């Protein structure tokens, strides 16, 4: 059985880490500690060389057998020896004997008022090892312990910040490096107790200051620089932090290279020149960014509320809604019909009640206000005093086109109008401001502020987009450009021509994330105005897209066929569609014929089939 302390005592460069220790492996020429030491169940000693040395070889190098690692007593951390208050020289002598090496350096830590809080003593041990010990003065003498501070330990040389309240402050790892940097004529600081203790010091005196961290060139040095930057960026106000990695002037930078080594490698150049070099390196280093902070909201704190609708179950207030359709199908005319009803407080065409009256803002890139937009609004019965267009903005005294990047201008328009209930952007692709409309991430980044603006003003935003030419019957993927145009919209509708009627149009749902699926509606465009039909359209968006790719003669043939089939009485829908398939008629053609003939549909019980019958 071998004591863990004996093994740790034989190793070089031992450092405590979470879960155990690391040290130089004695089985190979190990410059960077690669041996992990820990203790498992039953006190078993665990050795693992990350460079690949076998445990047997490590044991041989330590003069042990593998069996010596088994059945050991759990490691008990040795308590530091307590010294009673005494003279400083006597305390240092006692510490030197107990640590096993002479005093190698002493550094005084004072608070911002210049009052000494503690001293750090460094004892040099055999094998280039060193150990640092804090001491402080009490009323009865000197004791070996850390001071008890509520806000963390003071920084080394923190009092020098009062000498200059502006300009860069350099942070080094270790007091020796601070003293070397100060000799160049810069303000330099560090925290106590090495690279793993940065968060235990009080960094608040550096709030709002410009700070340059001179990182030691090893893993510990990089970690210290990151820790210091992380603390400084969370101050109020945050510090402006840069991290500088000093390099050897000859090009090959050894591990552990620090500011002392950098100065020594400069061939005795003048301190002023080296100071200027430090500032040039600092200016070239990037400014560190504050890491993002998660903002969590507990669901228990959220007040539940119902969706607010502009047009019940079709166009939502405070949301983005999409309107899709082929060029020339009448999408813009539909938006004029919506605007007219909002401005006048008119009835919705599906019988869901009267619209609450409000103002409308139109962003229209394709239609002329004088000869197209206003004539259409007047024919639709709009109150034009409540409808406004937003064609341009004024920036630096010059008029420019509005884009979705000009969210402040859109916000200003909403605030100026005051009671806007509808914002139409037609077509959305004309307002993407240099963004690639086919790249999902770019479109989402552009539209997300618009989504937030809609919610802030509780305004229904309707974005209009054309269908792409790619084909396909899934309407979600048919919007021109990125899928994000439809994905970020809470409702999306397809407005399309009826292939059997030149003037007839259908409005069917593409997606309705926040309400149950809704039947479609039909209308006709006559003399520049929309005339809505009573009743609903039961076709889906996919069926509508298929319909526009099927010759109209198919529907014409389906009408007399269906009338003849049902002349002897009602039939189940499945039987009708199966008979139609044998006759070369698609389900869409048969359903169009059903609408034309005003077929009566009914369901036989809860789980029975749908049945079709000719009207009486």
């Amino acid at each position: 059985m071998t004591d863990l302390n004996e093994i740790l005592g034989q190793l070089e460069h031992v450092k405590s880490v979470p879960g155990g220790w690391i040290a130089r492996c004695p089985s190979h020429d190990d410059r960077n500690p690669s041996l992990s030491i820990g203790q498992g169940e039953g006190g078993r000693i665990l050795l693992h060389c990350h460079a690949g040395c076998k445990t047997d070889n490590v044991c041989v190098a330590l003069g042990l057998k593998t069996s010596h690692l088994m059945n050991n007593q759990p490691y008990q951390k040795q308590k530091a020896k307590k010294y009673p208050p005494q003279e400083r020289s006597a305390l240092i002598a006692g510490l030197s004997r107990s640590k096993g090496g002479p005093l190698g350096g002493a550094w005084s830590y004072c608070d911002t008022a210049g009052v000494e809080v503690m001293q750090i003593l460094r004892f040099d041990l055999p094998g280039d090892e060193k150990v640092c010990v804090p001491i402080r003065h009490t009323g009865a003498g000197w004791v070996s312990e850390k001071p008890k501070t509520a806000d963390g330990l003071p920084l080394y040389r923190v009092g020098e910040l009062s000498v200059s309240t502006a300009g860069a402050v350099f942070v080094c790892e270790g007091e020796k490096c601070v003293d070397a940097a100060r000799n160049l004529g810069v303000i330099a600081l560090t925290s106590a107790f090495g690279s793993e203790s940065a968060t235990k010091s009080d960094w608040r005196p550096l709030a709002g200051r410009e700070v340059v961290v001179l990182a030691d060139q090893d893993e510990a040095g990089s970690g210290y620089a990151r820790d210091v930057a992380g603390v400084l960026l969370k101050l109020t106000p945050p510090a402006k932090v840069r991290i500088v990695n000093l390099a050897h002037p000859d090009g090959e930078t050894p591990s552990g290279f620090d500011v002392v080594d950098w100065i020594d490698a400069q061939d005795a150049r003048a301190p002023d020149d080296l100071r200027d070099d430090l500032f040039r390196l600092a200016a070239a280093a990037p400014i560190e960014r504050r890491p993002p902070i998660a903002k969590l909201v507990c669901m228990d704190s959220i007040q539940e509320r119902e969706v607010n609708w502009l047009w019940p179950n079709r166009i939502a207030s405070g949301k983005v809604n999409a309107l899709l359709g082929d060029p020339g199908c009448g999408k813009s005319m539909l938006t004029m019909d919506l605007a007219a009803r909002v401005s006048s407080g008119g009835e919705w065409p599906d019988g869901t009640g009267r619209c609450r009256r409000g103002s409308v803002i139109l962003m229209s890139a394709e239609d002329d206000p004088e000869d197209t937009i206003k004539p259409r609004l007047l024919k639709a019965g709009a109150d034009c005093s409540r409808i406004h267009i937003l064609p341009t903005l004024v920036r630096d005294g010059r008029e420019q086109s509005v884009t979705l990047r000009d969210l402040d201008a859109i916000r200003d328009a909403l605030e100026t109008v005051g009671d806007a209930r509808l914002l139409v952007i037609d077509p959305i692709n004309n307002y993407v401001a240099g963004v690639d409309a086919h790249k999902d991430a770019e479109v989402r980044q552009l539209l997300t502020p618009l989504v937030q603006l809609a919610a802030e003003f509780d305004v229904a935003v309707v974005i209009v987009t054309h269908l792409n030419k790619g084909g396909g019957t899934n309407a979600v993927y048919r919007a021109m450009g990125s899928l994000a145009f439809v994905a970020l919209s809470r409702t999306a509708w397809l407005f399309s021509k009826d292939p059997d009627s030149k003037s007839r149009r259908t409005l069917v749902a593409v997606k309705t994330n926040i309400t149950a699926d809704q039947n479609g509606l039909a209308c006709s465009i006559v003399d520049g105005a929309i005339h809505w039909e009573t009743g609903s359209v039961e076709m889906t968006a996919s069926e509508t897209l298929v319909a526009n790719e099927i010759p109209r003669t198919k529907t014409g043939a389906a009408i007399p066929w269906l009338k003849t089939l049902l002349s002897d009485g009602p039939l189940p829908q499945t039987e009708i569609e199966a008979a139609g398939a044998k006759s070369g008629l698609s389900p869409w053609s048969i359903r169009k014929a059903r609408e034309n003939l005003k077929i009566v549909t009914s369901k036989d019980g809860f789980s029975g089939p749908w049945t079709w019958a000719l009207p009486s």
Side-chain angles (χ1 to χ4, degrees), residues 305 308-309 316-319 356 420-422 452-461:
R305 63 178 176 86
N308 188 18
W309 294 96
S317 296
K319 315 284 184 186
R356 183 161 63 90
R421 303 211 62 221
L422 175 64
Q452 296 167 345
L453 191 70
E456 179 183 347
F457 284 87
D458 196 31
V459 61
V461 177

Side-chain angles (χ1 to χ4, degrees), residues 323 330-337 364 366-367 376 426 464 495:
L323 178 62
K331 299 185 299 299
S332 298
M333 193 166 292
L334 174 59
T335 62
M336 295 303 102
D337 183 82
S364 178
E366 294 182 342
D367 292 325
R376 288 177 176 176
D426 180 15
V464 180
F495 194 61

Side-chain angles (χ1 to χ4, degrees), residues 5 270 487 506 522 574:
N5 286 317
T506 56
T574 54

Side-chain angles (χ1 to χ4, degrees), residues 293-565:
I293 300 174
K295 181 182 179 182
L296 293 175
V297 179
C298 179
M299 289 302 298
D300 190 54
S301 67
I302 294 177
Q303 186 67 37
E304 185 181 2
R305 63 178 176 86
E306 294 183 353
V307 175
N308 188 18
W309 294 96
L310 178 69
W311 184 353
N313 298 316
R314 299 187 190 274
I315 304 295
S317 296
K319 315 284 184 186
V320 174
N321 309 264
L323 178 62
L324 291 65
D326 280 320
C329 72
K331 299 185 299 299
S332 298
M333 193 166 292
L334 174 59
T335 62
M336 295 303 102
D337 183 82
L338 297 177
R341 294 174 190 274
V342 172
S343 67
S344 63
E347 294 277 351
W348 292 115
D350 58 355
T352 51
R354 184 176 292 276
C355 174
R356 183 161 63 90
R357 195 175 186 184
S359 295
V360 179
I361 296 176
L362 303 176
M363 294 172 61
S364 178
E366 294 182 342
D367 292 325
D368 187 273
E370 288 85 2
D371 61 25
T372 304
I373 295 178
K374 185 167 184 178
R376 288 177 176 176
L377 288 171
L378 293 175
K379 285 188 177 182
D383 178 358
C384 289
S385 68
R386 288 181 172 269
I387 300 178
H388 312 267
I389 61 172
L390 179 58
T392 59
L393 59 83
V394 178
R395 178 179 285 121
D396 298 328
R398 300 174 58 186
E399 282 199 14
Q400 300 177 10
S401 298
V402 181
T403 72
L404 290 183
R405 291 197 184 279
D406 302 309
L407 208 66
D408 288 340
I410 300 174
R411 175 190 298 276
D412 181 64
L414 291 169
E415 291 175 344
T416 300
V417 170
D419 65 340
R421 303 211 62 221
L422 175 64
L423 169 63
V424 176
I425 306 176
D426 180 15
I428 187 70
N429 298 74
N430 280 51
Y431 293 90
V432 296
V435 167
D436 189 336
H438 294 83
K439 291 186 177 179
D440 192 77
E442 292 187 22
V443 172
R444 285 180 179 273
Q445 188 175 14
L446 185 68
L447 288 186
T448 297
L450 180 65
V451 172
Q452 296 167 345
L453 191 70
E456 179 183 347
F457 284 87
D458 196 31
V459 61
V461 177
V462 173
I463 61 173
V464 180
T465 183
H466 300 311
L467 295 178
N468 61 44
K469 298 178 181 179
T473 59
N474 191 333
V476 170
Y477 300 102
R478 288 295 306 277
M480 182 176 289
S482 166
L483 174 64
F485 288 118
V486 175
L488 286 178
S489 301
R490 297 300 83 200
T491 73
W493 297 86
L494 174 65
F495 194 61
S496 60
K497 293 181 179 180
D498 186 333
D500 292 321
S501 173
K502 189 174 182 179
S503 62
R504 193 169 187 263
R505 305 288 189 271
T506 56
L507 179 68
V508 294
V510 173
K511 61 174 276 189
T512 51
N513 281 25
I514 51 179
T515 185
D517 290 341
Q518 301 295 309
N519 284 336
L521 300 174
C523 65
S524 296
I525 298 179
V526 179
D527 295 330
I530 287 184
H531 301 274
W532 292 94
E533 297 178 7
T534 58
S536 62
V537 173
E538 296 183 13
M539 289 188 302
T540 66
S542 294
E543 291 170 340
T544 302
L545 290 172
V546 171
N548 284 278
E549 298 175 2
I550 297 176
R552 286 180 291 172
T553 54
K554 289 286 186 181
T555 304
I559 294 173
W561 175 86
L562 182 59
K563 187 174 183 180
T564 301
L565 185 66

Side-chain angles (χ1 to χ4, degrees), residues 23-35 49-54 57-58 61:
R24 287 181 177 176
C25 177
S27 184
H28 72 279
D29 185 14
D30 193 5
R31 296 185 178 182
N32 293 315
S34 61
L35 180 67
C49 177
H50 295 277
C53 296
K54 294 183 178 180
N57 296 337
V58 177

